[in-house]
Amino acid sequence: MPVGYTPPTPDSLLPVAGVALGAAAAKIKSWERNDVLLVVCDPGTVAAGVFTQNRFAAAPVQVCREHLAVQARSGSALRALVVNAGNANAGTGAAGLADARAECVAVARLLDCAPEEVLPYSTGVIMEPLPVGRIIDGLPAARAAARADGWFDAAKAIMTTDTVPKGASRRVTIDGVAVTVTGIAKGAGMIHPDMATMLAFMATDAPIAADVLAPLVAEIAAVSFNGATIDGDTSTNDSFVLAATGRAAMAPITSPGDSRLRTLRKAIEACAVELAQAIVRDGEGATKFIAIRVEGGTCVDECRRVAFGIAHSPLVKTAFFASDPNLGRIVCAIGNAAAPDTDVTRVSFWLDDVLVVDRGGRSPAYREEDGQRVMKQDEITIRVDLGRGSAAATVWTCDFSHEYVSINADYRS
């Protein structure tokens, strides 16, 4: 079960005006559950997304990029998302692209819209042909099931190795109007930024101009989903999309300098961070949630590089699983990731409130029993001060357990 994460309930995920969600069972794998999701958006909805940097980007990722580009050029709307679990439609070549486009055509016929107004997403096993016929056959049932309060069922439909559904909502007041943000995500393994085997879908009823929404989505991803890592493997299918239906009765936000955007951004970022942390807390086989904050860098990128150096070390991650305060492993990881001109005599690090290394050497006050106490906790913070500047960054990760190996050894079965 996830570390310190309470899954959402159907009532905790707030409906967003202009969005309806419905799920159906297409039997993509030999499971008895819904595995196709259709998200229907009102006309006039605008959307923006960020996607994997993996060179083997899945067919649906490629089609999503194309369709969002068409929407941006033409000013057309987002009308639907179609998502399947159980098959990634990645590494499938021209046939996979044709299948992803066929899904969009099928949804467009259901909704009487253009195929370019539909975004396809897939998650699951890589390099297996997509059973597109089953997905298309399941779409009418998903359309019939679509409802405004369908977020919880939607979160369940997109799960693969997740142990629980993941969702978050916020409601804020802007110009005296209640504005809602709700999102769902899936992911538990093959998780590493830019982005991870991660799908995240968020929506708000705030009216936001498309040229304001696109940079906002990139900025939100940078401080949320791109700070989540489980195993350092960037997937072929990573996608985060935010849709704005414009149904809230307020004047549109048309400039990034609009003071109202600050309030809305806080709500969106809070949802995104909650979802990103939920993915890490539900990491395959995870028993511990670890926040790594690196301060005192010359730039954010330097701090992130050191933080990920710690987060990706198998020796560090297995030590946390064993609650073994063999903290030389963290020292080693910092040294491997730090810039060549780092003066280690200015570097310090802490486990929670315990100072372990003080300016390059073991703190005289450090006792192994103090390190052991922290290492036994379910939630742990590593804080590093590089002593080089004022920049800082935080990433989240988990430990490596025996169960991680078992899950991934058996994944295709």
Side-chain angles (χ1 to χ4, degrees):
M1 293 298 291
V3 180
Y5 177 64
T6 301
T9 63
D11 293 339
S12 69
L13 299 179
L14 304 173
V16 175
V19 177
L21 309 94
K27 300 189 182 300
I28 293 169
K29 294 184 72 174
S30 57
W31 47 28
E32 295 298 325
R33 48 159 283 196
N34 290 339
D35 52 8
V36 170
L37 169 66
L38 183 64
V39 182
V40 181
C41 300
D42 278 4
T45 298
V46 297
V50 292
F51 301 93
T52 182
Q53 299 300 306
N54 191 299
R55 301 303 183 271
F56 262 104
V61 168
Q62 297 177 55
V63 174
C64 278
R65 287 172 172 155
E66 293 171 4
H67 287 188
L68 284 172
V70 169
Q71 292 172 29
R73 287 196 306 269
S74 66
S76 59
L78 168 69
R79 290 302 316 283
L81 312 177
V82 56
V83 191
N84 74 269
N87 184 299
N89 193 11
T92 48
L97 285 168
D99 289 341
R101 294 190 175 108
E103 293 179 80
C104 296
V105 169
V107 172
R109 287 174 179 156
L110 277 178
L111 302 181
D112 192 23
C113 68
E116 292 77 18
E117 294 178 313
V118 180
L119 302 181
Y121 297 88
S122 298
T123 182
V125 178
I126 295 170
M127 289 187 64
E128 295 290 339
L130 185 73
V132 68
R134 296 182 198 172
I135 294 171
I136 291 173
D137 288 346
L139 289 175
R143 178 70 180 99
R147 61 185 198 278
D149 63 350
W151 287 94
F152 183 77
D153 288 343
K156 292 196 296 183
I158 64 175
M159 292 167 56
T160 51
T161 59
D162 309 63
T163 66
V164 295
K166 302 170 178 70
S169 282
R170 298 291 188 277
R171 183 164 282 157
V172 294
T173 301
I174 301 175
D175 288 349
V177 176
V179 173
T180 303
V181 179
T182 294
I184 58 174
K186 65 79 53 183
M190 201 182 285
I191 299 290
H192 175 52
D194 297 328
M195 287 162 22
T197 283
M198 188 209 89
L199 300 181
F201 310 112
M202 296 178 64
T204 178
D205 50 7
I208 312 173
D211 58 353
V212 176
L213 189 64
L216 176 65
V217 167
E219 292 165 8
I220 294 295
V223 296
S224 58
F225 299 111
N226 282 347
T229 185
I230 288 174
D231 44 27
D233 279 323
T234 300
S235 170
T236 53
N237 291 62
D238 311 336
S239 304
F240 164 43
V241 65
L242 173 62
T245 68
R247 291 286 300 279
M250 56 181 278
I253 296 173
T254 59
S255 165
D258 191 318
S259 61
R260 299 172 299 164
L261 186 59
R262 187 177 304 112
T263 300
L264 179 60
R265 178 189 172 129
K266 286 181 180 178
I268 296 170
E269 183 176 321
C271 280
V273 168
E274 183 176 337
L275 292 172
Q277 290 192 2
I279 288 169
V280 173
R281 292 177 184 277
D282 195 27
E284 291 170 340
T287 69
K288 300 188 178 169
F289 175 80
I290 304 158
I292 304 171
R293 180 168 178 81
V294 178
E295 305 167 346
T298 58
C299 63
V300 170
D301 283 348
E302 176 182 40
C303 295
R304 284 171 62 85
R305 185 168 60 249
V306 172
F308 283 126
I310 298 168
H312 294 156
S313 166
L315 293 177
V316 170
K317 293 165 81 69
T318 50
F320 274 104
F321 171 63
S323 301
D324 175 17
N326 185 358
L327 301 179
R329 293 180 173 184
I330 296 178
V331 171
C332 183
I334 295 170
N336 282 329
D341 61 344
T342 298
D343 180 355
V344 297
T345 66
R346 302 180 67 178
V347 175
S348 302
F349 91 81
W350 292 255
L351 282 179
D352 280 4
D353 59 341
V354 177
L355 177 61
V356 179
V357 168
D358 185 11
R359 289 166 293 182
R362 176 174 172 146
S363 168
Y366 175 70
R367 298 291 181 268
E368 183 157 318
E369 53 266 32
D370 295 327
Q372 182 90 66
R373 168 178 57 81
V374 177
M375 294 284 276
K376 287 182 175 179
Q377 297 171 181
D378 292 340
E379 301 196 23
I380 300 164
T381 297
I382 299 171
R383 183 165 68 91
V384 178
D385 185 350
L386 297 175
R388 289 164 54 82
S390 58
T394 300
V395 305
W396 308 289
T397 193
C398 58
D399 58 339
F400 266 167
S401 69
H402 304 295
E403 187 67 14
Y404 177 87
V405 176
S406 297
I407 290 170
N408 282 282
D410 296 337
Y411 176 66
R412 293 207 307 162
S413 59

